[in-house]
Amino acid sequence: MGPLHSRARPQITPSMSLADAAVVHTEAWQTAHRNMRLHGHQLSTTRSKPTAFATSFATSSFSEPCSSKRTIVPSAFGADPTGIKDSTEALQSAMSALLNFSCIAKASMVSNITDLGGSTLDLEGGQYLISDTIVVPQNFGNLYIVNGKLKASPTFPSSKYLLSIGSESCNGGNQGSCNEYVNIANMMFDASHVAAGGVYIAKTMGATIQPAFFIGYQEAGLNIVAGHEVMVFNSWFAQYYWSEAHPPSNQLSGVGISINGNDHYVTNTIVFDFSKVGVYVGGAANVLHGVHTWNGGGVGIFLGSNRNRLTNCYLDYNYLEVEDPNQHIVESTFFLDTKMVLTAKLGTASQFIVKGNSFTVQPSIQVNGTFNLVDNVVVADNIECPKNTRATKKLTQTNSDTFTFDFSDVLLFRSIDTVLYSVSADKPVFVNSYAQTPNGTTVTVKFQSPVSASVTMSVAQGVLT
């Protein structure tokens, strides 16, 4: 067998600075472990304590010395990439080393968030069994977690997530965020039906998740709380695989993606079997684009709050629920064997646009409860959607002074705001007429004397308060 070290390595000398010595120590340790694995040697699952100088160099916040090489690999800290042995302590040590910025140039992002310069925790295609959360604490940004799998052990706390970023308790300045540009890529999060979920992100701005796969969550695959512009794309979420035994649909409790904040984006993402809710949107000004939900026949997407936009999505047997719609837009979305449900909680619908969507079954749009206020709502130009907020009918009668129109089969809500009608006939008809005040979804046109004519009536809802 050849030598483990094929070239000279830097040595610690009496004249070396404490920072340089700490770097040499860490790099030598990592190199030794890589070479041992290369030559088939058995590795310990726990890392030995750093030497005295390394311990004294580390700040009070970090248990691992700083390395000028900003790609950190968990296996160098004793983590088991086969997923057989618990790697919690080793991964926490690797994260500590990643966050130790004391040997690199000091740089800050918004609100004095520490800029880690693209430092990366690279799982190198390994799968790691963990029994507690891996934490990215507040006030760190510009870092990456990539290329591997985190899996909850049977003893993982049921109230915790595999990876936690930020904190709800942070102040965050004007933007309310204490972390910025934290990136997750090529990762799988398996909560094993034990942990609450995969990733928890609180008060973080500009995080990205792509691509990623979430499975086995009890509460949520991804839970976004406050912050701004977390972007999720090209990702998959499933509480259970379709081939896996699971509780009945009415006993499911998980949510694929939970958004309780503003200005977040979910694009080109799939939520499949089996979750109670595919995507829950409880904040404002969020964007869902190209989201496909087929999560078991419950709620595919829930829209609350206001000013959310849903475009080019695909509700596949799971319905879209919109609660007290307020300044939402739903456009160019396909509803396969499912519907849109408008739920009246406060009983108001305001500035709501539903256009250019395609439905396959009836009812295409269902109203639950009573909307006492419908203001500036447009539901129109949808495929296989007979009920809208605009409607036109034509009625032809002979020798009649009363033309009554019933729009209950084509109007979505219970009252009519505006009425416009015209009269046409084969022979001149010069008779006074007027439209009576609508009664619910019924409108009557009265003539001064009987006529033989056709009356065309156009009505609109959600126009006037």
Side-chain angles (χ1 to χ4, degrees):
M1 182 183 295
L4 294 181
H5 302 284
S6 59
R7 62 184 177 87
R9 298 290 179 183
Q11 301 295 314
I12 298 173
T13 65
S15 61
M16 184 176 288
S17 70
L18 198 57
D20 289 340
V23 171
V24 171
H25 168 81
T26 298
E27 292 181 357
W29 192 92
Q30 292 179 350
T31 299
H33 273 63
R34 288 194 189 96
N35 285 324
M36 289 173 69
R37 290 197 307 276
L38 178 64
H39 292 280
H41 292 279
Q42 182 68 33
L43 300 180
S44 171
T45 58
T46 60
R47 183 182 178 183
S48 60
K49 297 297 183 181
T51 59
F53 70 84
T55 304
S56 63
F57 170 72
T59 67
S60 60
S61 300
F62 307 106
S63 60
E64 299 298 328
C66 179
S67 172
S68 59
K69 290 187 176 180
R70 301 309 295 162
T71 296
I72 306 297
V73 293
S75 56
F77 294 81
D80 175 16
T82 69
I84 297 174
K85 297 180 180 180
D86 192 291
S87 295
T88 307
E89 183 179 344
L91 275 164
Q92 290 171 340
S93 294
M95 179 61 71
S96 180
L98 184 80
L99 300 176
N100 192 344
F101 58 92
S102 56
C103 66
I104 61 176
K106 173 65 175 176
S108 296
M109 305 175 79
V110 67
S111 301
N112 206 34
I113 293 171
T114 298
D115 181 354
L116 292 177
S119 298
T120 300
L121 180 64
D122 188 348
L123 275 59
E124 298 185 301
Q127 52 181 323
Y128 296 94
L129 188 70
I130 57 175
S131 54
D132 205 353
T133 303
I134 306 305
V135 177
V136 177
Q138 64 186 50
N139 298 322
F140 289 95
N142 194 9
L143 65 122
Y144 293 80
I145 301 169
V146 300
N147 301 333
K149 175 181 177 179
L150 296 181
K151 179 180 174 62
S153 75
T155 61
F156 197 100
S158 61
S159 61
K160 290 186 175 184
Y161 285 72
L162 299 176
L163 176 65
S164 179
I165 301 169
S167 171
E168 290 185 59
S169 63
C170 91
N171 182 10
N174 293 336
Q175 292 297 323
S177 297
C178 292
N179 295 79
E180 185 176 15
Y181 199 49
V182 179
N183 304 282
I184 298 169
N186 301 318
M187 287 291 298
M188 184 173 188
F189 298 92
D190 184 355
S192 304
H193 306 298
V194 176
V199 178
Y200 173 87
I201 303 180
K203 293 191 174 181
T204 296
M205 180 165 59
T208 67
I209 299 176
Q210 64 85 31
F213 196 107
F214 296 76
I215 185 71
Y217 44 85
Q218 296 291 80
E219 183 176 271
L222 171 64
N223 191 352
I224 303 171
V225 178
H228 290 271
E229 288 90 31
V230 172
M231 302 184 71
V232 183
F233 46 105
N234 301 341
S235 295
W236 287 70
F237 294 79
Q239 187 170 7
Y240 293 87
Y241 290 117
W242 56 86
S243 58
E244 184 180 10
H246 61 86
S249 296
N250 60 1
Q251 295 180 19
L252 294 172
S253 59
V255 178
I257 304 173
S258 179
I259 303 174
N260 287 286
N262 304 335
D263 306 335
H264 303 295
Y265 290 75
V266 180
T267 60
N268 298 336
T269 289
I270 313 295
V271 183
F272 63 105
D273 296 337
F274 290 85
S275 299
K276 183 177 182 179
V277 179
V279 182
Y280 174 91
V281 182
N286 298 286
V287 174
L288 274 61
H289 180 85
V291 176
H292 179 188
T293 61
W294 48 288
N295 50 287
V299 179
I301 300 172
F302 175 90
L303 292 183
S305 190
N306 56 77
R307 298 180 177 89
N308 292 301
R309 289 151 288 168
L310 191 152
T311 62
N312 288 95
C313 291
Y314 180 5
L315 281 296
D316 186 351
Y317 189 58
N318 305 116
Y319 61 88
L320 167 65
E321 181 175 3
V322 187
E323 185 178 273
D324 288 328
N326 182 8
Q327 300 187 37
H328 296 311
I329 296 175
V330 180
E331 288 187 335
S332 303
T333 289
F334 179 42
F335 294 78
L336 178 63
D337 292 334
T338 191
K339 60 193 173 184
M340 179 188 305
V341 176
L342 306 182
T343 301
K345 187 176 181 180
L346 299 177
T348 61
S350 178
Q351 303 181 70
F352 178 43
I353 298 175
V354 180
K355 297 184 71 175
N357 303 287
S358 179
F359 296 87
T360 62
V361 295
Q362 303 303 322
S364 50
I365 302 180
Q366 176 180 313
V367 177
N368 288 346
T370 300
F371 286 92
N372 298 310
L373 174 63
V374 180
D375 176 25
N376 196 18
V377 173
V378 177
V379 179
D381 302 327
N382 299 292
I383 297 173
E384 293 193 40
C385 181
K387 287 199 171 186
N388 297 276
T389 56
R390 309 289 187 269
T392 298
K393 286 189 174 185
K394 182 178 181 179
L395 183 60
T396 300
Q397 295 184 164
T398 301
N399 197 30
S400 176
D401 63 356
T402 302
F403 289 68
T404 299
F405 294 82
D406 183 1
F407 290 94
S408 61
D409 60 331
V410 291
L411 286 179
L412 192 58
F413 299 103
R414 299 182 180 183
S415 61
I416 293 172
D417 291 325
T418 63
V419 172
L420 180 66
Y421 73 93
S422 62
V423 180
S424 59
D426 294 334
K427 297 180 180 180
V429 176
F430 300 102
V431 179
N432 291 332
S433 64
Y434 71 99
Q436 294 181 336
T437 300
N439 179 19
T441 54
T442 300
V443 185
T444 297
V445 175
K446 297 288 290 185
F447 288 84
Q448 191 173 16
S449 59
V451 297
S452 295
S454 295
V455 177
T456 302
M457 172 77 68
S458 296
V459 297
Q461 300 178 315
V463 177
L464 302 175
T465 58

